[in-house]
Amino acid sequence: MREAVDFDNETMMFNQIFRPGLAEASLSVVAEQKNFVYYTSADTALKVLRNQELWFRNATVMNDFSEISYGLQLIRSVFSGLEGNRFREAVEDIFPGTIEKSDKLLSGWEQDWQLETYIACVSLHNPEEDRRGRLSMWRAYGDTALVVKNTPMAAVTDLLAVYSIPVLYLSVEGLTGHLAKITDAILINRKYLQSLGQETLVAYIHNMLFRFAIATKHPGFEEEQEWRLFYRPTERTSPEMTEETVVLGGVPQKVYKLRLANEPDNGLHGADIPSLLDRIIIGPTQYPYVSYSAFVGVLEELGVPDAHEKVVLSDIPLRVG
């Protein structure tokens, strides 16, 4: 088992060239012991705790209906521009015909990315929000925040077939600048990329485009500091995922349920509720004591030590009227 601070050299080189900033973001989570937070309704939070599972929903029914289409639109806009031309020239100089192969591969997968990607979303948690949470997230997502430790997401493993990645908040101009860094890195590492062969280069470009497609949002959402957990059953299935058809908001849909447990041999590291949970923050509410008491009771049922200390009432005043 490798930790996030121990990427192998090939992965590090891929990230440095085609995913600038990703390794640094992952390493900082571990080095600074950052937590994550899942903002949701009290009802959903209770289900996560009691059932000890996290639901992954189809990207097309997520809160922002343009979850993946936004990234694909950015790809089309930027890669058809001047910086896109510079990128293509740099790649073609290594292996002629690579762009054609990459375009063909993208065309074959683009619809599947949009329709068969299942997502769960968390945000980076800021320590100064331990007592209050984040007001914009209360307004957007619900009245309960599950603050969790980074252990499961810091683990580097292919066993689970579930992956996490920080969201990029980019406009056309932002992605243009991001692509410029990638092109510069390609030019600097031309000989290295040539040594890998054309098929590997095509795969690298494909993975780069996939990241842009599934984890890019409008910069107006940047304060969310989202990390995206994703599952792609059409590419690889996970023994820890359970498929179920449910009705949510009147829409029948398939969901995948990830069991929360501590089973390193199956790719689950410290994901059981007692190990995973740092705290629960209850957002501004008319019934603070009732909510506090309910969550403390559930944590005690789950064997969470010092349950009464794990539940915090947000000090943001409730605005009514």
Side-chain angles (χ1 to χ4, degrees):
M1 171 60 201
R2 294 172 292 157
E3 296 301 320
V5 292
D6 190 28
F7 288 122
D8 64 83
N9 184 65
E10 184 176 340
T11 301
M12 286 295 294
M13 287 297 295
F14 167 66
N15 286 332
Q16 287 174 12
I17 298 170
F18 291 96
R19 292 179 170 180
L22 176 61
E24 292 80 359
S26 299
L27 292 169
S28 72
V29 166
V30 176
E32 299 173 30
Q33 298 183 327
K34 295 179 180 179
N35 286 334
F36 291 93
V37 57
Y38 177 45
Y39 283 89
T40 187
S41 67
D43 180 58
T44 298
L46 284 171
K47 289 177 179 176
V48 170
L49 296 170
R50 281 181 167 151
N51 299 330
Q52 300 178 70
E53 61 188 19
L54 180 64
W55 288 21
F56 285 63
R57 297 181 64 193
N58 191 283
T60 60
V61 294
M62 297 296 286
N63 186 58
D64 178 2
F65 64 87
S66 65
E67 290 287 353
I68 295 181
S69 61
Y70 178 79
L72 290 170
Q73 289 168 6
L74 276 186
I75 290 172
R76 296 186 188 97
S77 297
V78 172
F79 280 80
S80 63
L82 293 176
E83 191 56 48
N85 289 335
R86 181 169 170 261
F87 171 84
R88 285 193 291 273
E89 289 173 0
V91 169
E92 288 293 293
D93 184 56
I94 300 174
F95 292 112
T98 298
I99 293 298
E100 182 180 356
K101 288 177 177 287
S102 299
D103 287 345
K104 185 176 181 180
L105 190 60
L106 174 62
S107 296
W109 280 101
E110 183 176 345
Q111 185 177 47
D112 192 80
W113 288 354
Q114 294 185 79
L115 300 180
E116 288 297 330
T117 298
Y118 293 81
I119 290 173
C121 302
V122 296
S123 295
L124 277 176
H125 178 68
N126 301 319
E128 61 269 22
E129 295 169 344
D130 277 351
R131 301 297 307 179
R132 68 173 184 267
R134 195 175 308 163
L135 182 58
S136 61
M137 300 297 279
W138 295 132
R139 290 172 171 169
Y141 295 103
D143 54 8
T144 307
L146 302 178
V147 181
V148 297
K149 297 171 185 174
N150 66 37
T151 309
M153 292 174 64
V156 179
T157 176
D158 289 324
L159 294 174
L160 194 58
V162 175
Y163 303 94
S164 62
I165 194 167
V167 166
L168 295 169
Y169 295 94
L170 299 174
S171 60
V172 169
E173 294 76 17
L175 183 55
T176 299
H178 196 77
L179 182 60
K181 294 179 183 178
I182 293 172
T183 303
D184 289 343
I186 289 172
L187 293 170
I188 292 170
N189 293 281
R190 182 185 183 281
K191 288 186 178 180
Y192 169 75
L193 292 171
Q194 192 172 43
S195 72
L196 299 177
Q198 186 177 38
E199 294 309 311
T200 297
L201 182 56
V202 170
Y204 279 4
I205 293 171
H206 188 68
N207 287 330
M208 174 196 72
L209 295 173
F210 176 72
R211 194 269 171 101
F212 291 157
I214 72 147
T216 305
K217 297 181 75 169
H218 190 281
F221 297 109
E222 188 167 8
E223 67 177 13
E224 293 180 354
Q225 302 180 67
E226 181 183 331
W227 279 58
R228 185 155 288 181
L229 290 78
F230 64 90
Y231 177 55
R232 298 266 306 132
T234 53
E235 291 190 52
R236 185 178 172 190
T237 58
S238 170
E240 296 300 324
M241 281 290 200
T242 301
E243 178 185 332
E244 185 174 336
T245 299
V246 300
V247 178
L248 296 172
V251 180
Q253 57 193 272
K254 185 193 307 180
V255 300
Y256 285 92
K257 301 178 179 182
L258 175 64
R259 194 162 54 87
L260 297 177
N262 182 34
E263 297 178 356
D265 290 344
N266 294 324
L268 288 166
H269 294 259
D272 59 300
I273 297 297
S275 301
L276 180 65
L277 187 70
D278 178 76
R279 68 185 59 216
I280 298 172
I281 308 174
I282 298 173
T285 175
Q286 287 182 285
Y287 311 105
Y289 175 76
V290 173
S291 298
Y292 169 85
S293 179
F295 277 103
V296 169
V298 170
L299 294 188
E300 289 175 342
E301 291 172 7
L302 294 170
V304 175
D306 302 316
H308 64 286
E309 295 180 0
K310 295 277 189 178
V311 183
V312 177
L313 296 173
S314 173
D315 58 14
I316 297 176
L318 176 65
R319 180 176 292 175
V320 295

